[in-house]
């Protein structure tokens, strides 16, 4: 089920979650390669990329972490992809957007001809059918993305693919842009539960895998690539063991580009160097959001006034300054500003640091200095950002609310946290969200949908139960179903407006901030770009 896929993703990305404030932060690479490492002389036209993100697998049917997906992304093509800086999809191996049947269930996709895999196997509809079936049937970590949605996939022509859905889903084309939903050579892979090949990759992308070591990878240019040629002569990926090593490797010029998982203070230092002309800093709006979960089944959060009071207490500019060092943007909707449907309704209704309003709401709910509302805030251990955020919120409550609200900060080991949150053990939790695909639905359905529940008991089975809010609203369930069926963008936008209005009234979650993505490049390195899904685009980089 998707909800468990979400929990898996949290666990898989735990090391990144530790850097919640800088989910967008650049990933480091190794400066001193060991066995199997790649050493390349300067001036050979290759680009050296540094990161701390170590891939678990290169098998697209099992890749569900940024480290793995970023590599798969650069060695593959998908049916659809994104323009840098845009969440609008465009055809890649497809030659047009899908033709959708009147009932919204059947998608017919024309495919590109003249494409070959890295092993010279021709790409066609049968190969794409094989790849999608493998993604589903091998039951890897991201398999639920398609298994929950697709009823059947079939090559209905040499270069025509027909996909039938279990139920209408307007965001379906965005799923086909997920990095792991890429064609792989039928000669190199097989279908079967658990039949993965983590150490190879045979796709159709601009690069082919030449070497895969424990601390480095070498990607060579695929000379039979169908599309635009790469601006460089290959990529060396160096995997650093720590942000400190990545930071030092970049500062000494050992890597051309540094991306993913630098610490906030290191980012601040490198930004200062960029302003002095020492190197370049490239920033992009991120798609990762950080938020607070409010468990409506835990007292005193069962009272709407208490949830609203907490929303009024939040001071996002203060959090951005003290916790995030300015490396994020305040967020006022669970749908990030990446999408044009996002509306800053939490700013309109609750603002930032509205302490008098918070006190009034708490008093209305029956609380006072003599009878304070006591609430625990939980977060996964070893997360310095969330720790500081929780302590900042506690300080605000202690100093601004006259003792009417008492916050207690609690932490627990990460694996335990993500296992227990769906059991309702945590009144308030601090989390972040890495989207699987870029559509507003992915910031709504996993948080607010509930398959089984009631207004009285809350959610017993569904997205909101998995997230720990236990939110239940029949109206919300209907709105989610409506936007998933609606093919008209403007009509769908109005439904998302209704959803956001409902959230700001019911307050099952409080949005906190939206990440920024940071990449650092040496002087003379050009065309460094990020895909909206946080992937660094290798083929445009040159020096």
């Amino acid at each position: 089920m998707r909800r468990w896929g979400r929990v898996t993703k949290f666990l898989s990305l735990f090391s990144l979650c530790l850097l919640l404030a800088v989910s967008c932060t650049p990933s480091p690479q190794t400066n001193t390669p060991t066995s199997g490492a790649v050493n390349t002389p300067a001036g050979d036209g290759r680009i050296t990329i540094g990161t701390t993100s170590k891939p678990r697998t290169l098998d697209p049917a099992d890749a569900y972490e940024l480290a793995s997906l970023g590599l798969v992304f650069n060695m593959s093509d998908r049916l659809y992809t994104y323009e840098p800086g845009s969440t609008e999809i465009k055809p890649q191996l497809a030659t047009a957007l899908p033709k959708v049947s009147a009932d919204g269930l059947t998608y017919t996709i024309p495919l590109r001809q003249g494409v070959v895999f890295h092993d010279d196997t021709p790409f066609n509809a049968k190969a794409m059918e094989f790849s999608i079936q493998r993604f589903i049937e091998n039951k890897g970590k991201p398999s639920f993305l398609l298994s929950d949605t697709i009823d059947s996939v079939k090559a209905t022509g040499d270069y025509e693919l027909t996909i039938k859905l279990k139920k209408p889903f307007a965001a379906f084309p965005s799923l086909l842009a997920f990095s792991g939903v890429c064609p792989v050579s039928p000669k190199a892979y097989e279908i079967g539960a658990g039949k993965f090949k983590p150490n190879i990759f045979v796709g159709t992308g601009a690069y082919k895998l030449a070497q895969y070591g424990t601390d480095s990878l070498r990607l060579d240019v695929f000379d039979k690539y169908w599309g635009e040629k790469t601006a460089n002569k290959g990529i060396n990926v160096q995997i650093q063991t720590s942000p400190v090593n990545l930071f030092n490797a970049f500062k000494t010029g050992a890597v051309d580009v540094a991306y993913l998982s630098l610490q906030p203070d290191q980012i601040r230092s490198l930004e200062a160097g960029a302003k002095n002309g020492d190197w370049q800093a490239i920033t992009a709006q991120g798609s990762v959001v950080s938020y607070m979960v409010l468990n409506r089944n835990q007292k005193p959060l069962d009272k709407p006034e208490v949830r609203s009071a907490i929303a009024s207490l939040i001071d996002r500019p203060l959090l951005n300054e003290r916790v995030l060092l300015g490396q994020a943007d305040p967020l006022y909707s669970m749908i990030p500003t990446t999408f044009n449907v996002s509306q800053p309704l939490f700013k309109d209704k609750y603002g930032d640091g509205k302490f008098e309003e918070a006190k009034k709401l708490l008093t209305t709910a029956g609380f006072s200095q003599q009878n304070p509302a006591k609430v625990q805030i939980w977060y996964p251990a070893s997360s310095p950002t969330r720790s500081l955020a929780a302590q900042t919120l506690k300080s605000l409550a202690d100093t601004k609310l006259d003792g009417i609200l008492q916050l207690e900060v609690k932490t627990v080991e990460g694996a335990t946290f993500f296992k227990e949150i769906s059991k309702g053990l945590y009144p308030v939790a601090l989390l972040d969200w890495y989207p699987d695909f870029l559509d507003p639905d992915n910031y709504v359905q996993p948080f607010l949908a509930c398959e089984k529940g009631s207004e009285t008991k809350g959610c017993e089975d569904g997205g909101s139960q998995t997230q720990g809010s236990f939110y239940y609203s029949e109206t919300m369930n209907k709105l989610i179903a409506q936007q998933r069926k609606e093919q008209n963008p403007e009509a769908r936008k109005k439904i998302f407006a209704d959803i956001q209005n409902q959230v700001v009234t019911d307050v099952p979650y409080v949005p906190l901030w939206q990440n920024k993505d940071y990449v650092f490049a040496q002087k003379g390195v050009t065309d460094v770009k990020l895909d909206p899904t946080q992937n660094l685009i290798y083929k445009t980089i040159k020096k």
Side-chain angles (χ1 to χ4, degrees):
M1 295 296 291
R2 166 168 296 184
R3 61 181 182 278
W4 297 118
R6 295 297 180 194
V7 175
T8 302
K9 184 168 193 178
F10 277 128
L11 295 172
S12 306
L13 292 174
F14 180 62
S15 61
L16 288 176
C17 290
L18 302 183
L19 301 174
L20 176 69
V22 286
S23 318
C24 49
T25 312
S27 324
Q29 288 198 348
T30 21
N31 162 21
T32 22
T34 57
S35 61
V38 179
N39 284 300
T40 306
D44 66 349
R46 296 181 68 89
I47 301 295
T48 301
I49 295 171
T51 183
T52 55
S53 297
K54 187 171 184 176
R56 177 183 58 84
T57 179
L58 297 182
D59 194 319
D62 195 35
Y64 202 28
E65 306 86 5
L66 290 178
S68 296
L69 290 172
L71 292 163
V72 169
F73 170 84
N74 281 289
M75 293 187 290
S76 72
D77 300 308
R78 280 73 52 206
L79 291 173
Y80 300 99
T81 190
Y82 299 96
E83 290 280 5
S86 169
T87 56
E88 296 297 319
I89 63 168
K90 66 174 185 177
Q92 191 174 38
L93 287 178
T95 58
L97 293 175
K99 180 181 178 182
V100 186
S101 62
D103 62 4
L105 292 175
T106 303
Y107 285 67
T108 305
I109 303 170
L111 303 183
R112 188 176 297 279
Q113 301 183 31
V115 177
V116 296
F117 289 98
H118 298 156
D119 62 358
D120 289 335
T121 302
F123 165 78
N124 52 30
K126 277 289 185 185
M128 197 68 231
E129 174 191 313
F130 167 86
S131 300
I132 290 178
Q133 287 180 334
R134 182 176 184 270
F135 186 94
I136 294 170
E137 295 178 31
N138 285 35
K139 300 186 184 302
K141 287 189 174 186
S143 62
F144 73 93
L145 288 171
L146 297 189
S147 63
D148 285 0
T149 308
I150 291 178
D151 181 54
S152 67
V153 55
K154 190 172 184 178
T156 47
D158 290 344
Y159 295 96
E160 181 184 88
L161 190 72
T162 299
I163 301 175
K164 292 187 177 180
L165 306 188
K166 294 178 178 178
K167 51 188 175 182
F169 185 33
F172 179 64
S174 295
L175 280 181
L176 299 178
F178 177 70
S179 295
V181 187
C182 60
V184 292
S185 171
K187 289 185 179 179
Y189 296 87
E190 58 183 325
I191 294 177
K195 292 185 177 180
F196 300 116
K197 295 195 174 181
N199 300 319
I200 69 166
F201 185 84
V202 185
T204 64
Y207 297 98
K208 58 184 180 181
L209 182 65
Q211 185 178 337
Y212 183 20
T214 56
D215 59 0
S216 64
L217 295 92
R218 179 187 174 100
L219 309 185
D220 287 348
V221 174
F222 180 38
D223 57 8
K224 295 182 181 179
Y225 185 57
W226 62 270
E228 185 177 349
K229 300 303 179 186
T230 63
N232 53 67
K233 295 184 179 179
I235 300 292
N236 301 333
V237 178
Q238 294 186 358
I239 304 169
Q240 294 286 354
T241 56
S242 71
V244 171
N245 287 348
L246 175 62
F247 178 73
N248 291 332
F250 180 77
K251 287 194 71 174
T252 58
V255 298
D256 297 311
V257 178
Y259 179 56
L260 274 180
S261 304
L262 290 166
Q263 299 282 9
D265 58 334
Q266 295 166 341
I267 291 175
R268 185 166 59 179
S269 173
L270 292 179
E271 280 195 300
K275 289 177 181 177
N276 291 333
D278 299 334
W279 41 71
Q280 305 171 72
I282 299 100
T283 61
Q285 185 181 57
S287 56
V288 176
V289 300
S290 300
Y291 59 98
M292 174 184 283
V293 179
L294 303 180
N295 183 349
R296 52 90 74 195
N297 284 351
Q298 286 259 16
K299 293 183 180 300
L301 296 165
D302 57 332
K303 295 178 180 290
E305 297 90 350
V306 175
R307 300 197 298 272
S308 294
I310 291 175
S312 299
L313 169 70
I314 306 299
D315 188 338
R316 292 169 187 79
L318 182 68
L319 289 173
N320 196 26
E321 176 190 344
R322 292 189 182 178
V323 178
L324 308 170
L325 303 183
Q327 295 165 14
D329 291 315
L331 184 62
Y332 297 95
S333 169
M334 288 299 290
I335 301 175
T337 57
T338 316
F339 303 97
N340 64 5
V341 303
S342 178
Q343 297 185 0
L345 299 184
F346 273 81
K347 184 174 186 177
D348 298 341
K349 183 165 184 176
Y350 300 110
D352 288 286
K354 300 294 185 182
F355 308 120
E356 292 303 317
E357 182 63 26
K359 286 190 284 186
K360 288 178 184 177
L361 288 162
L362 290 165
T363 302
T364 301
F367 297 100
S368 62
Q369 291 177 327
Q370 294 73 33
N371 177 38
K374 297 181 179 181
V375 178
Q376 293 179 341
I377 298 182
W378 288 78
Y379 65 91
S382 305
S383 175
T385 300
R386 275 177 280 202
S387 173
L388 186 53
Q391 293 293 344
T392 300
L393 294 174
K394 173 178 167 51
S395 176
L396 285 175
D398 290 345
T399 59
K400 303 294 186 180
L401 298 188
D402 300 336
I404 304 176
L405 174 65
Q406 296 181 2
L407 298 181
E408 181 184 5
V409 176
K410 305 281 284 187
T411 188
V412 67
E413 190 271 328
T416 300
F417 178 91
F418 293 116
K419 180 181 177 182
E420 300 293 343
I421 191 170
S422 63
K423 296 179 181 178
L425 299 186
Y426 309 130
V428 173
L430 298 179
L431 289 170
D432 58 349
W433 181 254
Y434 292 77
D436 288 316
F437 57 95
L438 288 180
D439 186 89
D441 174 83
N442 202 225
Y443 297 85
V444 168
Q445 192 271 347
F447 293 89
L448 302 168
C450 182
E451 298 167 13
K452 179 184 177 183
S454 66
E455 301 282 359
T456 305
K457 294 182 178 180
C459 187
E460 298 175 70
D461 185 17
S464 65
Q465 170 256 329
T466 300
Q467 291 285 346
S469 74
F470 296 86
Y471 175 70
Y472 182 86
S473 166
E474 192 57 42
T475 299
M476 182 63 75
N477 286 337
K478 290 178 180 177
L479 288 170
I480 291 171
Q482 286 172 17
Q483 65 84 11
R484 290 195 138 205
K485 292 178 183 177
E486 183 57 64
Q487 293 285 340
N488 182 292
E490 286 305 312
R492 199 164 176 246
K493 185 175 182 179
K494 291 177 182 176
I495 300 171
F496 280 120
D498 292 340
I499 288 172
Q500 291 170 94
N501 272 302
Q502 190 79 34
V503 170
V504 82
T505 298
D506 297 343
V507 201
Y509 307 92
V510 180
L512 298 175
W513 62 80
Q514 178 177 349
N515 75 302
K516 291 180 185 176
D517 293 322
Y518 288 82
V519 187
F520 295 94
Q522 303 293 350
K523 289 190 293 186
V525 176
T526 61
D527 292 311
V528 178
K529 301 175 182 177
L530 287 174
D531 172 86
T533 56
Q534 290 188 281
N535 292 311
L536 179 64
I537 302 171
Y538 294 173
K539 66 183 181 182
T540 61
I541 305 174
K542 58 186 176 183
K543 65 177 180 178

